[in-house]
Amino acid sequence: MIITIDGMIATGKSTIAKKLAKELGYIFFDTGAMYRCFTFLCLKRNVNLEDKAQILEAINHFKFNIKFQHGEKHYLVDSEDVSEIIRGAGVTSLVSQVATIPEVREKLVGIQRQWAVGVNAIFEGRDMGTVVFPKAELKIFLTGRPEVRATRRLAELKTRFPEEMKDLTLDQALEDINRRDVIDSTREISPLKKADDAFAIDTSELTPDEIVMKILECKDSLKGRKSS
Ligand code: C5P
């Protein structure tokens, strides 16, 4: 079974996908990490994002891998562990722009579909239910009030990068998530939007465990739909 979780920034997609995967014994994929890894490669190679030839050259050299260490996923680009740096300000400020490039999406979507063959998996991202896995058995779309999401993102960044983010304010975090959400939901190719057959869950007032419970209820309700 394939379960897709799409939604805006800081709706808890990764946390929820991880918890749900544990609960169900599925594997999970954070597809945003792939876009972040490719953005890292572009920065490393000084790629001019306006230059198609340079982007194609970079995408053809994109060697991406995942390894497990102490139960945590680590992301590798050319065997360099980039798990921390891809969450930092440099990659974050550019990733949504990189994700608008059709050739980049085509390549990464191809990899995502290969990973889905013959497994029970949860894929989280922006276009999982609409474009990558339109036939997924269960689709979830997470939303949340911008102020709540900005508060979550601020706390996450300050914990992960205490020095680099010590002066970051709530207003700046809010501005950043709004900017990226607008790019993600207005881009021409694979914009962030709810699939018609996705269950929408507003996460503003819910804990991660409560969200997982709701998703499990949605999953159970599918059985009812099939048998009726
Ligand atoms: O989920 P995360 O915030 O790490 O994703 C980083 C960026 O990657 C998003 O803002 C979006 O621009 C892009 N992305 C995408 N499609 C996906 C996953 C992420 O365009 N399936």
Side-chain angles (χ1 to χ4, degrees), residues 31-32 35-36 95-96 99 105 125-128 180 184 187:
T31 61
Y35 287 91
R36 287 174 180 272
V95 61
S96 290
R105 301 202 74 83
R126 302 293 189 288
D127 56 345
M128 297 296 108
R180 285 205 289 138
D184 290 345
R187 69 182 172 219

Side-chain angles (χ1 to χ4, degrees), residues 126-146:
R126 302 293 189 288
D127 56 345
M128 297 296 108
T130 49
V131 173
V132 186
F133 302 112
K135 295 196 175 133
E137 287 91 336
L138 175 61
K139 299 180 185 178
I140 304 294
F141 191 80
L142 300 180
T143 63
R145 287 201 307 279

Side-chain angles (χ1 to χ4, degrees), residues 96-112:
S96 290
Q97 188 188 340
V98 170
T100 62
I101 302 168
E103 291 80 2
V104 174
R105 301 202 74 83
E106 200 181 309
K107 167 90 177 202
L108 299 192
V109 167
I111 300 174
Q112 290 154 15

